[in-house]
């Protein structure tokens, strides 16, 4: 029974991690697509205020996209590892308080 519960909790944690990662990737791709179409529909002149930024992003779209993706994935991974560590700490604390005095593991 204990092993089944552990497996179920592990499945839920991994499923939540993968769902968050997938949602993040889809949102970044959607934002990239919308921004690319919007910037392509505008006429940009060198004297426009945003022209240098838009031109730089257009030239470096792949490295910027990969950096944004990497930073977001690392952040999501850190949050989920913190969540798992906190859950493990709670389980360990509960287990330690329920353990009879004088018994060893």
């Amino acid at each position: 029974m204990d092993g089944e519960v552990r497996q179920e909790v592990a499945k839920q944690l991994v499923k939540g991690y993968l769902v968050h990662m997938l949602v993040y990737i889809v949102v970044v791709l959607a934002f990239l697509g919308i921004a690319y179409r919007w910037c392509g529909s505008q006429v940009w002149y060198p004297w426009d205020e945003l022209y240098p930024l838009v031109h730089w992003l257009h030239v470096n779209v792949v490295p910027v996209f990969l950096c944004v993706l990497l930073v977001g994935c690392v952040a999501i991974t850190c949050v989920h590892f913190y969540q798992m560590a906190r859950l493990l700490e709670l389980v360990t604390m509960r287990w330690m308080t329920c353990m009879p005095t004088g018994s060893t593991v």
Side-chain angles (χ1 to χ4, degrees), residues 11 16 18 28-29 32 35 46-47 49 66 69 82 91 95-96:
K11 282 182 188 178
L18 292 176
V28 169
L29 284 172
L32 177 69
W47 54 83
E49 293 176 9
L66 291 176
L69 208 58
Y82 174 74
V91 168
W95 180 74
M96 294 296 273

Side-chain angles (χ1 to χ4, degrees), residues 42-55:
Q42 303 294 316
V43 177
W44 296 97
Y45 297 104
W47 54 83
D48 286 336
E49 293 176 9
L50 291 178
Y51 177 77
L53 176 65
V54 171
H55 180 69

Side-chain angles (χ1 to χ4, degrees), residues 4-104:
E4 292 175 13
V5 172
R6 219 178 328 189
Q7 285 181 345
E8 186 62 33
V9 169
K11 282 182 188 178
Q12 288 178 356
L13 289 172
V14 170
K15 183 180 174 184
Y17 173 73
L18 292 176
V19 166
H20 284 129
M21 197 68 76
L22 183 64
V23 167
Y24 176 72
I25 291 170
V26 168
V27 166
V28 169
L29 284 172
F31 180 77
L32 177 69
I34 291 169
Y36 200 81
R37 285 186 58 108
W38 179 78
C39 288
S41 70
Q42 303 294 316
V43 177
W44 296 97
Y45 297 104
W47 54 83
D48 286 336
E49 293 176 9
L50 291 178
Y51 177 77
L53 176 65
V54 171
H55 180 69
W56 183 84
L57 286 173
H58 180 72
V59 170
N60 298 307
V61 68
V62 173
V64 169
F65 168 72
L66 291 176
C67 284
V68 167
L69 208 58
L70 179 68
V71 167
C73 289
V74 167
I76 290 170
T77 301
C78 288
V79 167
H80 277 270
F81 275 134
Y82 174 74
Q83 212 174 24
M84 285 186 240
R86 196 178 66 204
L87 181 63
L88 181 61
E89 182 183 4
L90 287 172
V91 168
T92 305
M93 289 294 217
R94 182 163 298 186
W95 180 74
M96 294 296 273
T97 58
C98 293
M99 199 164 96
T101 310
S103 63
T104 59

